[in-house]
Amino acid sequence: MTPEGFVDLHIHTIRSDGVFTPREVVDRAYRLGFAGIGIADHDTVEGIREVSGYAADLGLELIPAVELSSEWRGLDLHILGYYLTIEDPDLDTFLKRVQARRLLRVQEMIDRLQGQGVNLSLSQVQEIAKGGTMGRPHIAQALVEQGYVPTYEEAFVRFIGYHCPAYVPKLEISPAEAIGLIHRASGLAVLAHPGTYDGEWVIDALIGEGLDGLEAWHPEHSSHQSQRFLDLARSQGLLVTGGSDCHGGRKGRVLLGEVKLPYRLLAELKARAGR
Ligand code: AMP
Ligand code: FE
Ligand code: FE
Ligand code: ZN
């Protein structure tokens, strides 16, 4: 019998660009009555290592996950990996490489900002990132703290959005490589927030690369979009997932608790993953 309850399969922690520690995420989800949560940090599985025992003690199911960035035809496509073996040595090597590249990238973005009259130091950004996967959200917060922009959003509009002068790409891997990496670590690959990429041609192409599922429910999707992805997934034999993409309020709303999916979806994911 499938357990009762609800799940959220896409949550960030301070190990990437979220605000809450992994323990705070587990505590909050437990108090909100979740049966299961997926911690899906950008380019790291540290958070899962940290709280797998703690979550188990509380009786909260913790789904191992990661959110990888891939680049294709100028798009930054995010691929979620579920139920991957977090100790997988190739995955570990890859994530270390990404972390190293992200550090250099932040320095490069700081240098470019300098050219625009903005003075940030690497240590200011590192202080905000607190050892987690470094990225633009931390630079955005530093820009707000130093008074260069009034809001977090404005930092992306003026300085670090995709078409801004201080934007620097990440380590560029293709979606096919991301999917392959997840598969070799025994995980399932799901396209994150497909509604944010402008066009279903992306989905068609990724299905050809072995994509396993679509993130149908996401705060940036309209109910019409969610239904469309659900129909598309059903017709293509893909899994469907969803989550709040909670970053703990760095972007505004906390979001945790606003997306509650029936446990049945997780059961389907688990069955496909052979768990
Ligand atoms: P990075 O991986 O360093 O390129 O940073 C990407 C992250 O920045 C995303 O996962 C979001 O959390 C955040 N982000 C990207 N674009 C925006 C935006 N326009 N407004 C707010 N947050 C954004
Ligand atoms: Fe993020
Ligand atoms: Fe994402
Ligand atoms: Zn995310």
Side-chain angles (χ1 to χ4, degrees), residues 70 121 256:
S70 66
S121 68
L256 190 61

Side-chain angles (χ1 to χ4, degrees), residues 17 42 102 105 135-137 152-153 156 170 247 251:
D17 57 354
H42 297 284
R102 274 181 172 272
R105 171 190 185 232
R136 289 182 293 158
Y152 176 87
E153 281 294 329
F156 285 88
K170 286 168 281 194
H247 284 70
K251 300 183 187 180

Side-chain angles (χ1 to χ4, degrees), residues 12 17 42-43 67 69 76 78 102 105 109 134-137 152-153 156-157 161-162 167-168 170 193 245 247 251:
H12 293 269
D17 57 354
H42 297 284
D43 301 321
E67 183 172 18
S69 298
D76 184 10
H78 293 182
R102 274 181 172 272
R105 171 190 185 232
M109 291 180 77
M134 299 253 283
R136 289 182 293 158
Y152 176 87
E153 281 294 329
F156 285 88
V157 174
Y162 290 116
Y167 177 74
V168 176
K170 286 168 281 194
H193 37 75
D245 209 352
H247 284 70
K251 300 183 187 180

Side-chain angles (χ1 to χ4, degrees), residues 174-188:
S174 68
E177 286 173 289
I179 293 168
L181 192 75
I182 290 165
H183 283 169
R184 286 193 301 278
S186 310
L188 294 166

Side-chain angles (χ1 to χ4, degrees), residues 19-212:
V19 172
F20 301 136
T21 64
R23 224 178 151 92
E24 283 166 342
V25 164
V26 168
D27 284 337
R28 279 172 180 259
Y30 177 75
R31 286 202 302 272
L32 287 164
F34 278 98
I37 55 165
I39 290 184
D41 273 315
H42 297 284
D43 301 321
T44 180
V45 292
E46 274 311 311
I48 298 149
R49 285 203 185 98
E50 279 175 55
V51 288
S52 58
Y54 181 61
D57 289 347
L58 287 176
L60 178 72
E61 193 167 338
L62 183 66
I63 296 96
V66 72
E67 183 172 18
L68 302 180
S69 298
S70 66
E71 197 276 335
W72 194 51
R73 299 193 182 176
L75 296 176
D76 184 10
L77 300 178
H78 293 182
I79 313 281
L80 295 157
Y82 286 107
Y83 287 108
L84 16 71
T85 304
I86 61 172
E87 303 83 11
D88 183 83
D90 290 340
L91 178 71
D92 192 58
T93 304
F94 171 77
L95 295 178
K96 286 195 174 119
R97 225 174 87 217
V98 177
Q99 301 289 339
R101 166 67 197 143
R102 274 181 172 272
L103 179 63
L104 295 174
R105 171 190 185 232
V106 166
Q107 184 59 64
E108 208 174 316
M109 291 180 77
I110 288 171
D111 294 345
R112 291 195 187 197
L113 284 166
Q114 189 108 53
Q116 298 189 76
V118 173
N119 287 300
L120 290 185
S121 68
L122 184 61
S123 61
Q124 278 168 340
V125 181
Q126 281 173 318
E127 172 65 28
I128 292 165
K130 295 193 164 56
T133 302
M134 299 253 283
R136 289 182 293 158
H138 308 113
I139 297 179
Q141 190 174 324
L143 288 169
V144 174
E145 285 178 9
Q146 300 301 312
Y148 288 105
V149 286
T151 64
Y152 176 87
E153 281 294 329
E154 188 68 14
F156 285 88
V157 174
R158 280 188 54 198
F159 293 113
I160 55 175
Y162 290 116
H163 303 291
C164 293
Y167 177 74
V168 176
K170 286 168 281 194
L171 179 72
E172 293 187 355
I173 62 162
S174 68
E177 286 173 289
I179 293 168
L181 192 75
I182 290 165
H183 283 169
R184 286 193 301 278
S186 310
L188 294 166
V190 172
L191 181 61
H193 37 75
T196 63
Y197 306 122
D198 200 23
E200 286 178 11
W201 56 277
V202 171
I203 298 173
D204 293 336
L206 295 198
I207 290 173
E209 303 292 354
L211 189 74
D212 301 292

